[in-house]
Amino acid sequence: MKILVIVSQTQDTEAKIQVSASGDSIDTGDMKWIMNPYDEFAVEEAIQTKEKHGGEVVIVAIGPGRVIDTIRQALAMGADSAVHINGEGFAETDSYAIGKLIAGEIKKLGEFDLIFTGMKIIDEESGQVGVQVAEELGIPHVSLVSKVVEINTDAKKAVCQKEIDGGHVVVEVPLPCLITCPDAMNEPRYASLPGIMKAKKKPLTEVGIDDINYDELGFGKDAVSKEGARVKTISIEVPQIERKLKIIKGDDEPMVKGEEVAKAAEELIKLLREDAKVI
Amino acid sequence: MSNDVWVVVDLKLDGTIRKVTFEALTEAKKKLVDKLGGQLCAVLLGSGVSGLESELGKYGAQKVYVVDSELLKDFNTEGYVIALSELIKQNEPAVVLAGNTVFGQDYFPRVAARIGSGVAMDAIKIDLSGDNNLQIERYSHSSKAIQKQVFHGGTTMMATVRPNSFKAEEAPATPEVISGSVELNPGDIKVKVIELETKASDRPELTEADRVVSGGRGLASEENFKYIYELADILGAAAGATRAAVDAGYCPYDMQVGQTGKAVSPNLYIAIAISGSVQHFAGMGSSKVIVAINKDPEAPIFQKCDYGIVGDLFDILPPFTEKVKALVSEG
Ligand SMILES: Cc1cc2nc3c(=O)[nH]c(=O)nc-3n(C[C@H](O)[C@H](O)[C@H](O)COP(=O)(O)OP(=O)(O)OC[C@H]3O[C@@H](n4cnc5c(N)ncnc54)[C@H](O)[C@@H]3O)c2cc1C
Ligand SMILES: Nc1ncnc2c1ncn2[C@@H]1O[C@H](COP(=O)(O)O)[C@@H](O)[C@H]1O
């Protein structure tokens, strides 16, 4: 099996964020960068599939030089090789262009069976790239797969479970297909020390922004810029919600206990009624 | 390109229309249609859906495009993609909106890629820019930031809207019903549903609810989730959960609130035995009033809630629920 995983690098979830001077992006000055958490599930699922059915796992990523760290992490987890579309400026464009560029490189990789990617990237949270890559490649997709039930390499099909409102569905999809991964579909492994050592020697192909054949992609290079983007961010704001922080505690220790319980329950109801006016 | 604004109808499993469709119709009329000078249209896709048109008229739809086909059953992504992109190509609306539901997130971006359009997901505000292009606001960065985005124009502009972000108001119209000329072939449908399991629930849906009661890992068992359901039912609230609770099997996945799960912004959010992780807050941090019951005084949620009790849920909840019940029955 040839399995591809689209991975991205993102700003740390825990990070305190600050709007940059230009007012239309987040200051990434000393931001910690991590592998997009949903992509960790995608990499893990790909490696488990390879372990079961044999074959290779190829990482595809797009972004500036720092993205190499994330690619190395995926290789250290057990992927075999990687393609890096390397350039600044991709952050300025929109998901439509990102999807086109990624699909364009994937087309050059020859035949493949499966593509895994995260359900969304946690900084932009656009939630469209995976599905759009599938469309560009003309292959079916199944989004938000909670469990890959079965992969049948002979019949060339996959059976996946996905959760929907009020229940779940199990679908059968012919290969090749693209699967988007939510959290909790598996337990992503850590990169081992030998894994990290080996990763350094695994093949990594760099594609420069000028190596891309835009005519072939069917859209102009200008679309890969802020001005050309179909959707552009013009401002960003960090909303400040003031919370009241009225916390009822016990008299002697923080926990409300014993006889204090009834009074605390009463007090909370009074606050909800008279202060917040919500019940 | 026409000046029409479309809203794709979001259906529930039982075939009824989701509230978000009426919200989108109302907001589109107010913010987009009048300025653009086109018509407000609904797009009704599904199997056995004919007959819902008048309900769409109630919220101002002047035209309803209908594609009623067996091949659109069970939220068939590929069927929806073909039907909607064909209709868009034939009619070239200025704007197409849909609800940011689990299904909307699945087919909508694919339609955008097919017709070469830009799309914005999960808008909480919609408007027009000075040159009449769609302009939206949406959360990003684990809901810690709000982005304002504007469309380039020149192609149909597409966006999904977050449920519960706008108010639905009736504005009766008698819609013209147009049967969409779209050809769907069984061969186009590659993804086949082989099992569909649904559980009916009497509780309001999370994304539509005005009040939400959620439980976390501290509930410790599926059995104990009865405390959550009991309080939710007394308050007429939806029941939610954290990933830790879902993972542990205490409750079904569709109750998960957060970055992966549902985004909610009710008037009242009661978080029981929930620590308050960034990922959970990404889904409920914009709630108007947040209440926490947690036994750990150091739990992060106590730094970002309005009211709370430091205590054991098994001590606090029974008398609290009892008193709320008494209050509600008093009226
Ligand atoms: C990519 C990614 C996506 C994620 N998406 C989501 C998401 O969508 N939604 C989500 O919720 N999480 C999500 N998470 C997980 C998140 O990081 C947290 O692990 C999770 O929210 C914790 O759930 P919890 O608060 O129930 O559990 P814990 O953090 O374990 O907290 C349990 C709390 O219960 C309290 N408690 C225990 N017993 C009692 C008692 N008897 N009485 C009172 N209090 C008690 C404890 O003091 C503690 O504060 C995601 C994580 C990742 C990596
Ligand atoms: N800028 C990007 N560079 C590389 N991959 C991306 C980028 N944006 C999104 N992706 C990939 O597409 C998936 C869906 O992300 P998104 O649609 O942007 O929320 C992510 O899990 C990534 O693997």
Side-chain angles (χ1 to χ4, degrees), chain A residues 23-90:
Chain A
D24 59 359
S25 62
I26 293 295
D27 205 342
T28 56
D30 36 38
M31 184 75 77
K32 202 176 133 209
W33 296 91
I34 57 171
M35 183 188 290
N36 182 34
Y38 296 106
D39 294 346
E40 284 189 45
F41 298 102
V43 173
E44 178 62 34
E45 201 61 34
I47 294 169
Q48 284 186 17
T49 308
K50 176 182 95 166
E51 284 167 351
K52 216 159 165 188
H53 299 282
E56 58 171 328
V57 174
V58 184
I59 302 299
V60 181
I62 181 168
R66 59 173 161 75
V67 173
I68 295 277
D69 293 341
T70 291
I71 294 173
R72 294 262 184 241
Q73 184 185 339
L75 293 172
M77 284 170 77
D80 299 287
S81 63
V83 177
H84 179 198
I85 310 166
N86 186 348
E88 305 291 332
F90 293 126

Side-chain angles (χ1 to χ4, degrees), chain A residues 19 48 76 103 108 160 169:
Chain A
V19 178
Q48 284 186 17
K108 293 184 195 157
C160 306
V169 287

Side-chain angles (χ1 to χ4, degrees), chain A:
Chain A
M1 297 210 98
K2 184 157 166 183
I3 308 159
L4 315 183
V5 192
I6 306 166
V7 302
S8 53
Q9 193 177 52
T10 182
Q11 298 158 21
D12 189 355
T13 328
E14 305 289 338
K16 259 227 150 37
I17 56 168
Q18 216 177 344
V19 178
S20 63
S22 59
D24 59 359
S25 62
I26 293 295
D27 205 342
T28 56
D30 36 38
M31 184 75 77
K32 202 176 133 209
W33 296 91
I34 57 171
M35 183 188 290
N36 182 34
Y38 296 106
D39 294 346
E40 284 189 45
F41 298 102
V43 173
E44 178 62 34
E45 201 61 34
I47 294 169
Q48 284 186 17
T49 308
K50 176 182 95 166
E51 284 167 351
K52 216 159 165 188
H53 299 282
E56 58 171 328
V57 174
V58 184
I59 302 299
V60 181
I62 181 168
R66 59 173 161 75
V67 173
I68 295 277
D69 293 341
T70 291
I71 294 173
R72 294 262 184 241
Q73 184 185 339
L75 293 172
M77 284 170 77
D80 299 287
S81 63
V83 177
H84 179 198
I85 310 166
N86 186 348
E88 305 291 332
F90 293 126
E92 302 253 284
T93 185
D94 61 358
S95 304
Y96 178 82
I98 296 283
K100 279 257 187 199
L101 291 166
I102 292 174
E105 286 315 306
I106 288 178
K107 280 180 194 161
K108 293 184 195 157
L109 295 175
E111 286 192 14
F112 59 88
D113 301 285
L114 267 168
I115 304 178
F116 289 104
T117 190
M119 66 178 273
K120 63 178 170 185
I121 189 164
I122 62 160
D123 47 18
E124 289 292 322
E125 302 202 56
S126 78
Q128 12 172 321
V129 171
V131 169
Q132 296 190 331
V133 167
E135 171 63 23
E136 293 296 336
L137 295 171
I139 60 172
H141 79 266
V142 190
S143 68
L144 293 170
V145 169
S146 54
K147 191 175 162 199
V148 177
V149 180
E150 187 204 336
I151 288 175
N152 187 326
T153 46
D154 297 326
K156 285 213 157 271
K157 63 172 193 188
V159 177
C160 306
Q161 177 169 327
K162 63 178 279 177
E163 311 304 313
I164 55 169
D165 283 324
H168 71 255
V169 287
V170 179
V171 298
E172 190 183 281
V173 53
L175 304 181
C177 74
L178 181 143
I179 289 172
T180 81
C181 306
D183 62 321
M185 77 183 301
N186 56 40
E187 251 331 303
R189 68 193 66 192
Y190 288 104
S192 65
L193 201 55
I196 294 169
M197 298 312 291
K198 267 197 235 153
K200 292 184 181 149
K201 297 197 199 81
K202 288 182 178 171
L204 195 161
T205 312
E206 295 269 346
V207 180
I209 190 152
D210 296 322
D211 303 332
I212 292 162
N213 186 335
Y214 290 91
D215 293 337
E216 234 167 58
L217 292 182
F219 81 141
K221 188 175 178 182
D222 61 323
V224 192
S225 68
K226 187 150 185 163
E227 288 63 44
R230 280 166 166 70
V231 182
K232 75 175 166 197
T233 302
I234 49 172
S235 69
I236 192 159
E237 184 195 325
V238 177
Q240 301 297 341
I241 305 180
E242 293 287 328
R243 294 289 173 192
K244 292 196 164 146
L245 304 176
K246 294 189 182 171
I247 314 296
I248 303 163
K249 294 190 183 135
D251 288 335
D252 304 323
E253 46 179 317
M255 281 252 274
V256 168
K257 272 191 185 144
E259 279 159 18
E260 299 167 345
V261 167
K263 211 179 98 221
E266 196 92 51
E267 205 178 324
L268 179 57
I269 288 174
K270 195 162 172 229
L271 285 169
L272 295 180
R273 253 196 112 125
E274 292 168 16
D275 197 41
K277 302 193 171 63
V278 284
I279 57 172

Side-chain angles (χ1 to χ4, degrees), chain B residues 217 242-243 256-257 259-260 273 275 277 279-280 294 312-313:
Chain B
R217 196 198 312 263
T242 62
R243 160 169 145 193
Q256 183 168 323
V257 172
Q259 186 152 40
T260 315
S275 62
S277 66
Q279 293 90 354
H280 191 70
N294 194 306
D312 192 307
L313 81 96

Side-chain angles (χ1 to χ4, degrees), chain B residues 216-226 248-251 314:
Chain B
R217 196 198 312 263
L219 266 295
S221 74
E222 184 178 2
E223 161 80 14
N224 287 337
F225 251 77
K226 66 169 189 254
Y250 304 161
C251 56
F314 301 110

